[in-house]
mmCIF file of all heavy atoms in Angstrom:
data_model
loop_
_atom_site.group_PDB
_atom_site.id
_atom_site.type_symbol
_atom_site.label_atom_id
_atom_site.label_comp_id
_atom_site.label_asym_id
_atom_site.label_seq_id
_atom_site.Cartn_x
_atom_site.Cartn_y
_atom_site.Cartn_z
ATOM 1 N N ARG L 199 -38.873 26.290 -107.735
ATOM 2 C CA ARG L 199 -39.042 25.016 -108.353
ATOM 3 C C ARG L 199 -37.865 24.186 -108.084
ATOM 4 O O ARG L 199 -36.691 24.633 -108.385
ATOM 5 C CB ARG L 199 -39.248 25.170 -109.848
ATOM 6 C CG ARG L 199 -39.390 23.899 -110.572
ATOM 7 C CD ARG L 199 -39.685 24.004 -112.093
ATOM 8 N NE ARG L 199 -38.517 24.527 -112.755
ATOM 9 C CZ ARG L 199 -38.500 24.670 -114.193
ATOM 10 N NH1 ARG L 199 -39.582 24.597 -114.842
ATOM 11 N NH2 ARG L 199 -37.392 25.055 -114.720
ATOM 12 N N PRO L 200 -37.930 23.056 -107.351
ATOM 13 C CA PRO L 200 -36.742 22.168 -107.132
ATOM 14 C C PRO L 200 -36.283 21.561 -108.449
ATOM 15 O O PRO L 200 -37.081 21.303 -109.315
ATOM 16 C CB PRO L 200 -37.341 21.187 -106.149
ATOM 17 C CG PRO L 200 -38.744 21.105 -106.361
ATOM 18 C CD PRO L 200 -39.218 22.404 -106.909
ATOM 19 N N GLY L 201 -34.959 21.362 -108.493
ATOM 20 C CA GLY L 201 -34.484 20.768 -109.793
ATOM 21 C C GLY L 201 -33.038 20.250 -109.474
ATOM 22 O O GLY L 201 -32.623 19.908 -108.336
ATOM 23 N N GLY L 202 -32.222 20.204 -110.642
ATOM 24 C CA GLY L 202 -30.919 19.549 -110.627
ATOM 25 C C GLY L 202 -29.876 20.195 -109.640
ATOM 26 O O GLY L 202 -29.147 19.434 -109.008
ATOM 27 N N VAL L 203 -29.883 21.458 -109.356
ATOM 28 C CA VAL L 203 -29.152 22.035 -108.253
ATOM 29 C C VAL L 203 -30.055 22.006 -107.075
ATOM 30 O O VAL L 203 -31.062 22.623 -107.040
ATOM 31 C CB VAL L 203 -28.836 23.519 -108.613
ATOM 32 C CG1 VAL L 203 -28.027 24.036 -107.402
ATOM 33 C CG2 VAL L 203 -27.767 23.449 -109.789
ATOM 34 N N THR L 204 -29.564 21.230 -106.076
ATOM 35 C CA THR L 204 -30.497 20.843 -104.979
ATOM 36 C C THR L 204 -30.459 21.948 -103.850
ATOM 37 O O THR L 204 -29.552 22.684 -103.705
ATOM 38 C CB THR L 204 -30.172 19.500 -104.280
ATOM 39 O OG1 THR L 204 -28.873 19.574 -103.695
ATOM 40 C CG2 THR L 204 -30.163 18.391 -105.438
ATOM 41 N N TYR L 205 -31.427 21.829 -102.904
ATOM 42 C CA TYR L 205 -31.539 22.569 -101.698
ATOM 43 C C TYR L 205 -30.196 22.404 -100.957
ATOM 44 O O TYR L 205 -29.627 23.364 -100.442
ATOM 45 C CB TYR L 205 -32.793 22.076 -100.882
ATOM 46 C CG TYR L 205 -32.838 22.674 -99.442
ATOM 47 C CD1 TYR L 205 -33.455 23.934 -99.307
ATOM 48 C CD2 TYR L 205 -32.332 21.981 -98.405
ATOM 49 C CE1 TYR L 205 -33.454 24.499 -98.007
ATOM 50 C CE2 TYR L 205 -32.421 22.529 -97.129
ATOM 51 C CZ TYR L 205 -32.940 23.807 -96.903
ATOM 52 O OH TYR L 205 -33.023 24.264 -95.714
ATOM 53 N N GLU L 206 -29.727 21.116 -100.912
ATOM 54 C CA GLU L 206 -28.503 20.880 -100.193
ATOM 55 C C GLU L 206 -27.280 21.582 -100.727
ATOM 56 O O GLU L 206 -26.519 22.157 -100.058
ATOM 57 C CB GLU L 206 -28.314 19.357 -100.135
ATOM 58 C CG GLU L 206 -29.254 18.565 -99.242
ATOM 59 C CD GLU L 206 -30.538 18.204 -99.913
ATOM 60 O OE1 GLU L 206 -30.930 18.750 -100.971
ATOM 61 O OE2 GLU L 206 -31.271 17.388 -99.372
ATOM 62 N N ASP L 207 -27.309 21.537 -102.114
ATOM 63 C CA ASP L 207 -26.082 22.336 -102.830
ATOM 64 C C ASP L 207 -26.209 23.881 -102.498
ATOM 65 O O ASP L 207 -25.209 24.478 -102.267
ATOM 66 C CB ASP L 207 -26.349 22.104 -104.357
ATOM 67 C CG ASP L 207 -26.213 20.809 -104.893
ATOM 68 O OD1 ASP L 207 -25.502 20.029 -104.255
ATOM 69 O OD2 ASP L 207 -26.878 20.471 -105.884
ATOM 70 N N LEU L 208 -27.421 24.353 -102.507
ATOM 71 C CA LEU L 208 -27.602 25.774 -102.402
ATOM 72 C C LEU L 208 -27.326 26.284 -100.930
ATOM 73 O O LEU L 208 -26.656 27.267 -100.720
ATOM 74 C CB LEU L 208 -29.001 26.178 -102.847
ATOM 75 C CG LEU L 208 -29.336 26.117 -104.276
ATOM 76 C CD1 LEU L 208 -30.755 26.249 -104.560
ATOM 77 C CD2 LEU L 208 -28.446 27.107 -105.084
ATOM 78 N N THR L 209 -27.740 25.451 -99.918
ATOM 79 C CA THR L 209 -27.527 25.871 -98.561
ATOM 80 C C THR L 209 -26.059 25.776 -98.228
ATOM 81 O O THR L 209 -25.478 26.573 -97.460
ATOM 82 C CB THR L 209 -28.309 25.046 -97.464
ATOM 83 O OG1 THR L 209 -28.291 23.736 -97.920
ATOM 84 C CG2 THR L 209 -29.827 25.452 -97.432
ATOM 85 N N LYS L 210 -25.360 24.799 -98.812
ATOM 86 C CA LYS L 210 -23.999 24.693 -98.589
ATOM 87 C C LYS L 210 -23.207 25.999 -98.942
ATOM 88 O O LYS L 210 -22.265 26.507 -98.376
ATOM 89 C CB LYS L 210 -23.363 23.576 -99.418
ATOM 90 C CG LYS L 210 -22.556 22.569 -98.622
ATOM 91 C CD LYS L 210 -22.052 21.360 -99.384
ATOM 92 C CE LYS L 210 -22.977 20.260 -99.360
ATOM 93 N NZ LYS L 210 -22.719 19.210 -100.307
ATOM 94 N N LEU L 211 -23.695 26.588 -100.088
ATOM 95 C CA LEU L 211 -23.012 27.850 -100.619
ATOM 96 C C LEU L 211 -23.574 29.140 -99.945
ATOM 97 O O LEU L 211 -22.775 29.987 -99.650
ATOM 98 C CB LEU L 211 -23.253 27.936 -102.118
ATOM 99 C CG LEU L 211 -22.519 29.015 -102.782
ATOM 100 C CD1 LEU L 211 -21.070 28.680 -102.868
ATOM 101 C CD2 LEU L 211 -23.079 29.252 -104.202
ATOM 102 N N LEU L 212 -24.833 29.177 -99.780
ATOM 103 C CA LEU L 212 -25.460 30.387 -99.281
ATOM 104 C C LEU L 212 -25.817 30.502 -97.835
ATOM 105 O O LEU L 212 -26.217 31.517 -97.302
ATOM 106 C CB LEU L 212 -26.808 30.642 -100.097
ATOM 107 C CG LEU L 212 -26.632 30.767 -101.630
ATOM 108 C CD1 LEU L 212 -28.076 30.878 -102.189
ATOM 109 C CD2 LEU L 212 -25.815 31.937 -102.025
ATOM 110 N N GLY L 213 -25.850 29.325 -97.100
ATOM 111 C CA GLY L 213 -26.384 29.284 -95.699
ATOM 112 C C GLY L 213 -27.908 29.129 -95.810
ATOM 113 O O GLY L 213 -28.368 28.063 -96.164
ATOM 114 N N LYS L 214 -28.589 30.265 -95.530
ATOM 115 C CA LYS L 214 -30.116 30.096 -95.489
ATOM 116 C C LYS L 214 -30.763 30.194 -96.876
ATOM 117 O O LYS L 214 -30.570 31.147 -97.654
ATOM 118 C CB LYS L 214 -30.594 31.284 -94.652
ATOM 119 C CG LYS L 214 -32.013 30.917 -94.085
ATOM 120 C CD LYS L 214 -32.203 31.946 -92.908
ATOM 121 C CE LYS L 214 -33.742 32.068 -92.635
ATOM 122 N NZ LYS L 214 -34.325 30.925 -91.910
#
Side-chain angles (χ1 to χ4, degrees):
R199 176 175 75 181
V203 173
T204 65
Y205 171 84
E206 289 84 346
D207 295 332
L208 292 169
T209 42
K210 230 177 269 165
L211 188 73
L212 300 177
K214 199 167 162 74

